[in-house]
Structures are given as C-alpha cells and as structure tokens.
Amino acid sequence: IKHPLQHTWTLWYYEPDKTKSWENSQKIITSFDTAEDFWSLYNHIKLASELRQGCDYSLFKRGIRPMWEDAANKRGGRWLMQLDKRQRACDLDHFWLEILLCMIGEAFNEYSDDICGAVVNVRTKGDKLGVWTADCTKANSILEIGRKLKERLRISAKTSIGYQFHNDTISKVGSITKNTYQI
Ligand code: M7G
C-alpha cells in the first residue's frame, strides 16, 4: 500500500493568457493524497526554473483555490521569499521542493492546520515563493511557520523574510506591500 498523506493536495498551474481573466487562467493539474503519487507527479512535471516567465505553480489543500478571494485565504496572508535573479539557478527549485515537502509532510506541527498552500511565481524581475496561511491574526502560528521555513530552507539569520496580509496586497499602491511580520 501507498503512504497516505494527512491531506489531499491540488497542484495548479497558471500561464498568462491575454484572452482570459487571471482567475480563468488558473488550471488544476491534479490532486494527490499519497507520498508515492506526489513523487510521480513531481518527477513528471517541469521544474519551476523550466517554466516560462510569468507562469506559476500553486499547491493548495484540496478545495482551496490559489486566490485571495477563496474563503480559506481571504483573512490570511503569506510569507514571501523574493529571490534574486541569480537564485533561479541555485535556489529556486530546491526551495520550492522543500516547501512542498514541508507542507505535505505537515512539518509545521500544530500549526500545519493554518497552512493553505504555497505559490511559486517565475518572473523576469526575480522569482517569488509564497507560503499562504489562513488567519492573519494568529501571530504565534505565523511566526512559528516563518521560523520553520527559514530553518528548512536554510535561509541565513542575516536574510529577513516578511509576512504580508492579502488585504494589503490587494489594496497596495505601487509595487511594495508592507510586511506585518518580519523575521
Ligand atoms: P502576481 O502574479 O502575484 O505577481 O500578481 P506579479 O506582479 O509578480 O506578476 C499579478 C497580478 O495577478 C495581480 O496584480 C492581480 O491582477 C493578479 N492576481 C494575483 N493573485 C495572487 C490574485 C488573486 O489571488 N486573485 C485575483 N483576482 N487576482 C490575482
């Protein structure tokens, strides 16, 4: 028998398409609920670094759409890791895999329930990784999740990462969203 995961996860793919809205450009690839099915999917698809510029992968718990508007996300936010252009070659793929393994392996312990999913944005200006959590009022949970991420991705203590409320991202003026938490 296969090794069951705690949750069923859905992989989404976004590709920019001027003829469609952003929401309608998000496509479900597949869902899985065992470790073996995760690896067969992972080994079958392109690495994030091989996607075209402008594309995203998102992995969310089943039933949660990778959008601010989803009921599970709308009161939440994300830990954002903004990579340097050079990090596409050395960090992007292994950071993304590590985030996937943290999520499906429930590495956030008692805070794993607060995890909604994660997104990788492949962008010319610098790739981004976001780990989305459900409730931006749960400071303790958010901070523990952020610390665990930094530890698992081996992000040095000198490099800080920020947590942004989706509501601030939605209403931002300009390209910068304020960090509500930073570690
Ligand atoms: P992005 O892809 O997160 O980052 O957002 P980027 O600016 O580096 O490409 C780009 C645009 O996609 C946003 O300005 C929105 O128009 C749209 N968009 C992104 N997200 C995450 C959402 C979402 O959750 N809901 C909706 N409606 N639009 C979104």
Side-chain angles (χ1 to χ4, degrees):
I1 54 161
K2 298 184 194 176
H3 297 80
L5 302 173
Q6 194 77 37
H7 288 92
T8 302
W9 296 88
T10 303
L11 182 70
W12 298 72
Y13 174 64
Y14 168 86
E15 191 173 79
D17 178 342
K18 288 195 189 75
T19 69
K20 291 201 192 96
S21 66
W22 182 88
E23 286 98 323
N24 290 330
S25 304
Q26 287 282 356
K27 295 275 154 48
I28 290 180
I29 298 181
T30 189
S31 298
F32 58 86
D33 63 1
T34 69
E36 289 78 1
D37 290 344
F38 165 72
W39 285 113
S40 37
L41 172 64
Y42 183 81
N43 291 325
H44 179 76
I45 60 175
K46 284 187 175 159
L47 293 168
S49 62
E50 296 168 337
L51 295 180
R52 281 198 279 135
Q53 313 280 352
C55 294
D56 305 334
Y57 279 137
S58 305
L59 188 79
F60 275 74
K61 286 175 180 165
R62 180 176 60 187
I64 306 181
R65 291 167 305 140
M67 307 173 186
W68 309 313
E69 295 85 352
D70 194 279
N73 295 322
K74 66 181 184 201
R75 284 177 215 85
R78 65 171 172 174
W79 278 110
L80 179 62
M81 283 142 279
Q82 291 188 271
L83 306 189
D84 206 86
K85 284 183 184 184
R86 284 165 302 185
Q87 287 179 284
R88 180 165 310 159
C90 53
D91 291 329
L92 180 69
D93 294 324
H94 96 259
F95 278 7
W96 176 238
L97 177 58
E98 198 60 28
I99 290 171
L100 298 178
L101 294 177
C102 283
M103 294 201 303
I104 68 174
E106 311 285 325
F108 304 102
N109 305 319
E110 66 263 49
Y111 306 109
S112 287
D113 282 349
D114 292 326
I115 297 283
C116 295
V119 181
V120 56
N121 305 118
V122 180
R123 299 291 183 272
T124 331
K125 63 192 175 199
D127 304 321
K128 291 181 283 182
L129 295 160
V131 173
W132 291 33
T133 75
D135 185 344
C136 63
T137 65
K138 287 190 174 174
N140 194 37
S141 167
I142 291 168
L143 290 168
E144 283 304 320
I145 289 169
R147 283 185 199 112
K148 178 64 82 174
L149 276 174
K150 276 190 87 167
E151 175 192 315
R152 289 282 301 254
L153 303 187
R154 301 209 194 94
I155 296 175
S156 90
K158 284 178 291 185
T159 308
S160 67
I161 59 172
Y163 184 93
Q164 311 176 340
F165 293 178
H166 295 318
N167 265 332
D168 291 334
T169 306
I170 294 167
S171 59
K172 77 178 170 190
V173 183
S175 60
I176 310 279
T177 301
K178 74 162 188 218
N179 292 324
T180 298
Y181 303 102
Q182 196 157 325
I183 56 169

